[in-house]
Structures are given as structure tokens and as C-alpha cells.
Amino acid sequence: MIRVHLAGEGAEAQDRSYDILCGRGLLAEVGPAIRQAGARRAVVIADAAVQETHAAAVAKSLRSAGLETETIAVASGETSKSLESAGRIWSHLARLAVDRATHVVAVGGGVVGDLSGFVAATFARGLSVWHVPTTLVAQVDSAIGGKTGINLAEGKNLVGAFWQPRGVFADIDALATLPDREFVSGLAEIVKYGMILDAQFFTWLEANAAGLLARDPERTAFAVHRSAALKARVVGQDEREISGLRAALNYGHTFGHAYETAAGYGTLLHGEAVAIGMSRAARLAALLGRIDAEVVGRQDALLARLSLPIAAQAAGSIAPERLLEIMARDKKSLGGRLRFVLPDRIGRAELVADIDPVLVRTALIAT
Ligand SMILES: NC(=O)c1ccc[n+]([C@@H]2O[C@H](COP(=O)([O-])OP(=O)(O)OC[C@H]3O[C@@H](n4cnc5c(N)ncnc54)[C@H](O)[C@@H]3O)[C@@H](O)[C@H]2O)c1
Ligand SMILES: [Zn+2]
């Protein structure tokens, strides 16, 4: 079990701290835990892809614990992270006459987690939400830390709120039904944690790459647990991305988002774009003299062994100018000036501002 200790105003922060359970066979534990937290009713918001399987198991556990339980299904895919979906769920909750003793339980990947968290944050000025992440990305990343939101036509994640869950149940067994490509995409975020926070974990990943790729449950459980613990630590120290610590989690993401946008959403999975992004960020760090070629090589080798793309061409032929333009508009850039999270060794990275676009361009086209 991992505890997310939120720093801040005494008892208030303490009250919002929560546990992340990580392991196998956890879906059956959801009901008793939520019941114990004082819920009388539960609304399960489920990705349609897991509605009949994992979400049904969670609903069964909730009912067995004596909770009146409703399930709302959400169509699979990024387009569900929309105002239309949020509106539909708000109305559904209104019809159910939901009150404070009704808890929301999100079962699915990052899409359902972000959408359900946003709905919970906003409906009746805030309902308790629990996350049951069923993708690797969601287990190691999106279910932890309280960032919720929806997309607009103008851009991803533009409307949202910080809303911490009451608890997270990361059940490795739920990943059994996940397609390989989605699983591998999640491995990119795991490599990210090793690269920016934990050299020892990075070395473990190098030694266990084949087992992870083969989806060995013990290795997967260890990697999820360690990644979740690293993210929990960062979130606990910088919940609202103020000190800059949490910003380090965006390693590979400024480049990655640009590739995602330029390739067109849906072409690259998020983790694939992040892998290419990390390969570019490492090259940029090397150009700035922060790391040497050996570090770039180790990261490339690990990503490649995990079947992740590193070559910019994997995103198709995109002009570097187009990528630079997208990055300048990124909501994480400051007034159009480019900032990147860059490593200075394996296990440590920081946000570096005011980077010369000429170097960024070189990193984009470097082999
Ligand atoms: N809030 C955060 O801090 C944060 C962090 C990272 C990513 N995100 C967001 O998360 C989203 C990406 O999350 P994702 O990669 O989980 O995508 P996703 O939720 O779209 O899930 C990926 C695919 O897997 C399917 N699926 C989910 N669980 C399954 C299972 N167990 N078996 C079979 N299929 C399953 C889904 O239907 C979907 O088709 C993006 O919207 C991104 O912005 C948020
Ligand atoms: Zn990410």
C-alpha cells in the first residue's frame, strides 16, 4: 500500500490524503473499502470496454458490501473526454438524486478517470471519487495525483480541476484484457519515472525489460508499485504544480504532445509519443552538455527493448518547424518561450527555461 500524503494546511491536507492499493485480486476489495469510508450509494462510471468484466466485478463488490449501485457506461476513446459526456453524466446524477453519501467509482483508463474525476469535482460542488484504473497508463499515472479534466476542440485538457480521489485500486489482473499496444504505451511512463527520479529503478527496468514485455505479473506488479510510489511522492510534495517538482513528471511530454498533435490524435498512443519525446529530450540535454552520449544510448536501448519508438520518423514525416510552433503554443510554455524537463543524469531531471530553438530543432532531427 502506498499513501499519498498531501502537504499543506494541517488537518485539511491530512483529510485529503489517501491510499493507493496495488496488487492482484483487488476488485473485490473496492466495496468494503468504500462502505467503510461512509458511502451508502455508489455510481460506477465505466469504460464500455470493461463494463461487462472489471466494472461488473467492482459493481458486484459494491452491492455485496450493501451499497446501492448504478453503472453509467462511457464509450471508449479520447472523444469521451468531452463536455457532452460530462453533461450527460451530470444529468444522470441529477436524475438519480445523488447526495454526499453517494460516491463515484471510475473504472477504466485515463479517459474515464479524468472525466469521472472532473464530474465528481463539479457535481453538487464535489462528490467523493475512487479510481479503479484498468490500463497501465492509468495505474502508474493518471489515477494518481488528482488532475481531472476534459478536452475542448481547441485543445486537450483545457478545462479541469484538481480533485484528489479518496483511494485508488490498481489491480494488475485487470490488465490481462488490455491490448499489447496499450500495455507497451504504459511502459513509456514507467521508463520516465526511472529516468527522472530513480536510477536504481532504471537499472531494474534494464534487467527486467524482457519479462515486462512478456507481461510477467510479478514484474508488472513491482513496476506499477514503484512507479505509483514515485508519482505519489512527487504529488505529495507539489500537489498543484507550484514548486516545479511536479513539472518534472512532464519529461518527454512537451515533445510528445507536439508529436501527438502533429500526427493527429489517435495516430500515436500517448506513451508512444512520450517515448519519442523522451528520446528527443535526452538528445537536447546532450546538446546542452547536461548528459553524455552514454545516457542517451541507455535510454534508447531500454525504450527499444520495450518495443517503444524512439525515432522521430515513427510519428510520420513532420516538419520540425511545425513541431516547434506547436511547442511554443503548449500551455506549459511561458509566453511562447520554450521550457523542457531535461535530465542531468539517470534518476534526476529538472525544468530548464529559455532554450535556444535552434538546439531544439537539432534535437528534433537528430538520429
Ligand atoms: N490526470 C492525469 O494526471 C493524467 C496523466 C496521464 C494521462 N492522462 C490522460 O489519460 C488519457 C489516456 O489514458 P489511457 O492510456 O488509459 O487511455 P484510455 O482510457 O483511452 O484507455 C485506452 C484503451 O484501452 C481500453 N481499455 C481500458 N482498460 C482496458 C482493459 N482492462 N482491457 C481492455 N481494454 C481496456 C479503453 O477502452 C481504450 O480503448 C488521456 O486522456 C490523458 O490525457 C491523465
Ligand atoms: Zn503521460
Side-chain angles (χ1 to χ4, degrees), residues 220-282:
T220 305
F222 177 81
V224 169
H225 187 277
R226 179 64 75 96
S227 300
L230 289 165
K231 175 143 188 194
R233 195 181 77 200
V234 170
V235 168
Q237 289 167 347
D238 183 19
E239 184 187 358
R240 303 218 164 197
E241 208 161 320
I242 290 165
S243 76
L245 199 67
R246 186 163 181 170
L249 299 174
N250 292 320
Y251 175 55
H253 281 62
T254 304
F255 284 111
H257 287 149
Y259 284 108
E260 265 182 307
T261 308
Y265 287 117
T267 310
L268 286 173
L269 294 185
H270 176 70
E272 294 167 348
V274 168
I276 303 172
M278 291 192 289
S279 82
R280 300 302 110 189

Side-chain angles (χ1 to χ4, degrees), residues 143-162:
I144 308 162
K147 278 194 187 175
T148 74
I150 55 173
N151 306 324
L152 298 182
E154 288 75 10
K156 264 190 68 147
N157 299 325
L158 283 181
V159 177
F162 283 101

